[in-house]
């Protein structure tokens, strides 16, 4: 297993009230299709002073809670399902009410192999963005977007805010376009590469992109978009 070292100095509240929170994805370790165990995280927090000395910050295991979030499914190959109706605003701020959450599970002696420092820096920024070159509609209610470039990445979609809570939008990705105008989303990985979204429906525009997966694609086929995609 690999670990990252992250400097959190700029994220610390000076009033002394702080929260540590994580959203856990399956990654390569516990995909639904190749499950090697439950999602877990190990955290070691140090304070380093100007003289180079260190203090280890310890917490009581009773202070850790776990709850369900909006990411209901994620898989490297098959995609992700984001249900915005399950969002919990404020969960990453001090004072959040955790009475409906349960105590975090403590995993003793997890079988994660040898811990090694990751040789790759965490991806923290977008390198390049591609706008749609063209949009076609092979069938009523289905749009196909051509980005004009085969990429490994993810789509970002903005949806107007005047649609029902829980309305579902599906984005499928592919490197290949069929003669009938639809994408072939089972090529080349023979996996659906889908991003499913259930809308928040609070009256405001909604912007979505996948958290824990990426896609190889040039074309995106969008089903359930409420309105005309242009």
């Amino acid at each position: 297993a690999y670990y990252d070292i992250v400097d959190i100095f700029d994220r610390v509240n000076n009033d002394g009230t702080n929260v540590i929170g994580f959203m856990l994805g399956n990654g390569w370790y516990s995909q639904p299709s190749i499950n090697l165990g439950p999602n877990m995280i190990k955290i070691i927090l140090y304070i380093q002073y100007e003289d180079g000395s260190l203090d280890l910050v310890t917490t009581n295991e009773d202070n850790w809670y776990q709850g369900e979030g909006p990411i209901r499914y994620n898989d490297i190959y098959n995609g992700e399902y984001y249900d915005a109706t399950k969002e919990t605003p404020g969960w990453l701020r001090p004072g959040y009410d955790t009475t409906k959450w349960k105590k975090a599970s403590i995993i003793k002696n997890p079988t994660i192999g040898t811990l090694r420092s990751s040789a790759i820096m965490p991806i923290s920024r977008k390198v390049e963005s591609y706008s749609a070159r063209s949009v076609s509609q092979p069938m009523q209610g289905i749009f196909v977007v051509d980005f004009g470039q085969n990429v490994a990445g993810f789509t970002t979609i903005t949806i107007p805010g005047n649609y029902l809570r829980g309305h579902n939008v599906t984005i499928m990705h592919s490197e290949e376009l069929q003669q009938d105008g639809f994408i072939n989303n089972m090529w080349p990985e023979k996996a659906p590469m889908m991003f499913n979204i259930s809308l928040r429906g609070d009256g405001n525009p909604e912007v979505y992109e996948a958290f824990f997966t990426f896609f190889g694609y040039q074309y995106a086929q969008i089903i359930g978009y409420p309105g005309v995609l242009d």
Side-chain angles (χ1 to χ4, degrees):
Y2 294 94
Y3 64 86
D4 293 313
I5 299 175
V6 181
D7 186 347
I8 62 171
F9 179 82
D10 293 336
R11 307 180 191 182
V12 175
N13 292 326
N14 292 328
D15 64 3
T17 305
N18 291 277
V19 172
I20 298 176
F22 300 89
M23 294 176 66
L24 296 182
N26 294 322
W28 296 101
Y29 179 76
S30 57
Q31 302 174 56
S33 55
I34 312 173
N35 196 322
L36 299 178
N39 292 340
M40 66 185 82
I41 188 167
K42 182 174 183 177
I43 311 150
I44 302 176
L45 179 61
Y46 287 101
I47 299 175
Q48 183 173 16
Y49 299 97
E50 291 182 350
D51 63 3
S53 60
L54 298 174
D55 269 345
L56 174 64
V57 178
T58 60
T59 64
N60 189 315
E61 64 184 42
D62 290 335
N63 293 335
W64 291 91
Y65 297 86
Q66 64 185 31
E68 294 187 354
I71 298 177
R72 314 305 293 176
Y73 173 92
N74 67 97
D75 183 276
I76 291 293
Y77 293 108
N78 294 322
E80 187 171 300
Y81 170 38
Y82 188 95
D83 185 353
T85 68
K86 304 293 186 183
E87 292 176 335
T88 52
W91 73 275
L92 201 50
R93 292 195 292 267
Y96 179 75
D97 183 8
T98 57
T99 55
K100 294 184 179 180
W101 288 24
K102 59 183 180 180
K103 296 288 186 180
S105 301
I106 307 300
I107 301 176
K108 304 293 185 180
N109 302 316
T111 55
I112 58 174
T114 302
L115 280 174
R116 297 182 177 90
S117 177
S118 175
I120 302 174
M121 292 295 294
I123 298 173
S124 58
R125 65 185 179 89
K126 297 175 183 177
V127 176
E128 193 166 357
S129 297
Y130 296 90
S131 299
R133 292 284 185 87
S134 64
V135 179
S136 60
Q137 191 172 6
M139 181 181 292
Q140 183 69 28
I142 298 178
F143 300 93
V144 174
V145 180
D146 181 359
F147 291 95
Q149 173 71 41
N150 198 320
V151 299
F154 53 84
T155 47
T156 301
I157 187 169
T158 301
I159 299 174
N162 54 339
Y163 295 96
L164 293 177
R165 180 177 176 83
H167 178 86
N168 189 256
V169 176
T170 299
I171 308 174
M172 298 187 293
H173 304 77
S174 179
E175 300 178 18
E176 184 180 74
L177 192 66
Q178 299 179 151
Q179 290 186 353
D180 59 7
F182 293 93
I183 67 168
N184 178 6
N185 73 312
M186 298 301 287
W187 185 92
E189 298 293 348
K190 300 189 184 305
M193 295 195 293
M194 290 192 296
F195 182 31
N196 294 312
I197 308 160
S198 291
L199 300 186
R200 190 179 304 114
D202 60 0
N204 298 308
E206 304 181 35
V207 181
Y208 296 100
E209 54 191 32
F211 278 81
F212 292 120
T213 190
F214 63 94
F215 312 100
Y217 69 102
Q218 177 176 335
Y219 305 95
Q221 183 168 292
I222 302 172
I223 304 171
Y225 184 87
V228 178
L229 187 67
D230 52 25

